[in-house]
Amino acid sequence: IADTDPGNPALIGLRERLANAYLDQADRYVDRRLRSDAVRALNAARQLSPANPRSAALEAKIDGLPGGG
């Protein structure tokens, strides 16, 4: 849809829903201590929704995992 109809208002909702699904997945990876998978899911969410308020808190959780910064 983004390629064929970039102005489609439905895209905003779809992007947010998909971003939240990626953030949920990242959170599950954090619970399982799978740092690289959590980072990958967080990055995917940020590509879709850079200003999502959940991202910062999740990044802090990821940073607290072993091997983090």
Side-chain angles (χ1 to χ4, degrees):
I1 297 173
D3 291 337
T4 59
D5 189 9
N8 188 326
L11 278 179
I12 295 168
L14 290 173
R15 285 180 183 270
E16 286 302 316
R17 285 178 43 205
L18 186 54
N20 280 310
Y22 276 121
L23 292 169
D24 290 342
Q25 184 179 48
D27 207 17
R28 286 191 297 274
Y29 285 140
V30 168
D31 290 342
R32 294 171 53 199
R33 306 179 87 58
L34 298 171
R35 186 179 195 288
S36 63
D37 292 327
V39 168
R40 215 172 359 263
L42 176 61
N43 288 339
R46 282 189 166 152
Q47 286 182 342
L48 293 166
S49 179
N52 191 303
R54 293 176 57 197
S55 295
L58 193 50
E59 183 176 24
K61 286 174 71 173
I62 292 169
D63 286 345
L65 291 175

